Amino acid sequence: MTGETGTKTVGELPSASGTTSLVPAVLTRVVWGLWLLSLVAVAARLTGGGRWEVPGVFAVDGLTLLMWSVVTFFAGVVLSYSRRYLAGDRHETRFFVRVGAFTLAVLVLVAADHLLLFLGAWVAMGLVMAGLVGHVADWEQAQAARRLARNYFLAGGASLAVALGTLWATTGATTVSEVAAAAAGASGGVWSLVGLTLLLAAMVQSALAPFHTWLLSSMTAPTPASALMHAGFVNAGGILLTRFAPVVTVDPSVLLLVVLVGAASALLGKFLKSVAADVKRQLGCSTMGQMGFMMLQAGLGFFGAAITHLVLHGFYKAYLFLAAGERVERTAPAARGEPARTGPVGWLVTGLAALAGGAIFVLLTGKGTSLDGGLLLTLLVVLTTLHATRDLVRRTSLPARLRYGAVPLVFLPAVALYAGVYVGVTGLLSDLPVVTAPVVLTPLHWLVVGAFVLAYALAETGVYRRSTRLYVALLNLGQPAPGTLAAGTEVADD
């Protein structure tokens, strides 16, 4: 394999003649057509403004148009990729129908105004994704993963049903718009309960701890389905909290819990990734961590930042999954050793870059200039820049001059681009009842920040690797559910 020098060729797509199904080609073109229509709708919205709705059923706002554009783009890429990836699969048509049904469910979800329609789209989305996880019908592990995912998604749907049913019983509201109006100035234990049940549904959907097992067990899904799952499905938790932001922000203690959940999942995902052995599970742990960061931003009251994060993460993770095969090496295993240490010059460069990245974010967005949640949002930008620049500086395969010179030329413009996207997304979401509601920082927030920064430093420096007990604990936490891991003796026997 390593000495292969022949020219690589790629065959043509299966012909539409004969017994070949027309469904894949038709659905692919339909979804790309929907993407073009969504872009036209965004342009019309930006130039004409206004709110499009079917009273009591659908309401098309900025969040709807943004998600329509993003979801149809991801679905189009996945369907186009799958036409070759699944060529010859006897269940190819069923796969394409499920991807189309999933896309439709998401399009309905982000436009639904009636509570029952929203709930129905949420449950349908989960059931279809569970079917994609178990696409291979005669693979025992895939069916076990499908059942596990389905049970998790039904539990999340039940939590959402409790939340929406409580809102209806308390306020008499039957639409998301009416709920938002009723939440203005509301208070009381009922609203706290609703906020908690909404958070629970979002945690299940976004695979946050301790509900991450379904995600790590879903690696039986075909790679295109995994790309759609990690780039779109898990983002629904952030969409849910943003759509019901007027409810979630009623009780500050609920937002504090969102911060705690997000911080814990972000850190756990980072630690679990460090002990994961295979590419797809590493990507799964990364998704868990990124969804934690998304939730953390929502808990700080910056729902626009959470939506920005999920959109950018979706593009990045879809690419990583669809290109995962390129990371499989066709060489004999070799000792790699520990990554190069970051010397004094490296720490100076990365530290200055992180501070400069934070300053650019503050300058372009205006966040972080006062003692509220914006300060912590800026801290996340600083930590992210520090992590990214440190990874580059530690690449000893590159000349030192190139490594250090690339930091200001690559990462600082990237921070500026992120800030620009954030400002643009926030502007597009301006017609939502709540887009930005910075929390007032309390001693508990600072305690969480201290613990988060300490744990983050332990992860970055690798000090935690010295504890065998901690390594084993992380290894156990990162395992898929029993029955979903295809690594038993029966595989070797086959």
Side-chain angles (χ1 to χ4, degrees), residues 141-477:
Q141 286 81 5
Q143 295 311 304
R146 176 188 63 81
R147 290 190 294 270
L148 179 71
R150 180 197 61 197
N151 293 339
Y152 269 89
F153 301 154
L154 288 176
S159 180
L160 179 60
V162 170
L164 300 185
T166 304
L167 286 172
W168 172 76
T170 303
T171 65
T174 59
T175 66
V176 177
S177 305
E178 293 172 350
V179 166
S187 62
V190 172
W191 291 93
S192 301
L193 173 63
V194 172
L196 292 175
T197 50
L198 288 173
L199 173 59
L200 182 60
M203 290 173 63
V204 173
Q205 199 82 357
S206 295
L208 300 182
F211 305 111
H212 60 284
T213 305
W214 76 259
L215 184 67
L216 300 184
S217 303
S218 68
M219 301 309 166
T220 58
T223 296
S226 294
L228 190 62
M229 179 194 305
H230 290 255
F233 180 78
V234 295
N235 293 333
I239 295 172
L240 175 65
L241 294 187
T242 301
R243 183 61 79 193
F244 288 92
V247 177
V248 177
T249 54
V250 167
D251 186 354
S253 61
V254 172
L255 284 179
L256 178 59
L257 184 58
V258 175
V259 170
L260 287 170
V261 167
S265 295
L267 290 173
L268 185 59
K270 185 175 180 62
F271 280 113
L272 292 182
K273 181 182 176 182
S274 68
V275 301
D278 58 272
V279 174
K280 288 185 73 173
R281 201 179 308 170
Q282 288 177 357
L283 293 176
C285 295
S286 171
T287 294
M288 173 188 172
Q290 292 301 321
M291 292 300 98
F293 278 112
M294 177 197 69
M295 198 67 65
L296 182 56
Q297 292 167 337
L300 293 175
F302 294 96
F303 297 96
I307 296 297
T308 302
H309 189 99
L310 68 85
V311 169
L312 296 179
H313 170 262
F315 279 101
Y316 181 59
K317 197 54 62 73
Y319 163 76
L320 288 181
F321 263 98
L322 296 181
E326 296 180 0
R327 295 186 59 187
V328 179
E329 297 186 6
R330 299 178 179 179
T331 57
R336 296 180 180 272
E338 291 293 324
R341 293 184 179 275
T342 306
V345 176
W347 280 115
L348 178 63
V349 171
T350 56
L352 291 176
L355 293 176
I360 291 173
F361 182 77
V362 171
L363 181 64
L364 295 179
T365 66
K367 310 303 179 186
T369 57
S370 57
L371 290 177
D372 57 19
L375 187 62
L376 302 188
L377 182 64
T378 303
L379 176 62
L380 292 179
V381 174
V382 171
L383 289 177
T384 302
T385 307
L386 178 67
H387 172 75
T389 53
R390 185 167 176 265
D391 279 351
L392 175 62
V393 168
R394 298 173 75 188
R395 292 189 180 182
T396 55
S397 58
L398 299 175
R401 185 174 301 175
L402 179 60
R403 283 180 282 148
Y404 296 140
V407 169
L409 296 177
V410 174
F411 293 102
L412 297 186
V415 173
L417 177 62
Y418 167 73
V421 173
Y422 169 56
V423 171
V425 169
T426 302
L428 187 60
L429 303 182
S430 60
D431 55 352
L432 269 63
V434 177
V435 180
T436 302
V439 300
V440 177
L441 298 181
T442 65
L444 285 175
H445 284 94
W446 290 112
L447 181 62
V448 173
V449 169
F452 181 86
V453 172
L454 177 60
Y456 196 88
L458 292 176
E460 284 293 295
T461 57
V463 174
Y464 70 96
R465 296 177 184 271
R466 300 175 185 175
S467 172
T468 304
R469 185 183 298 272
L470 179 59
Y471 173 83
V472 173
L474 292 173
L475 199 62
N476 290 333
L477 283 172

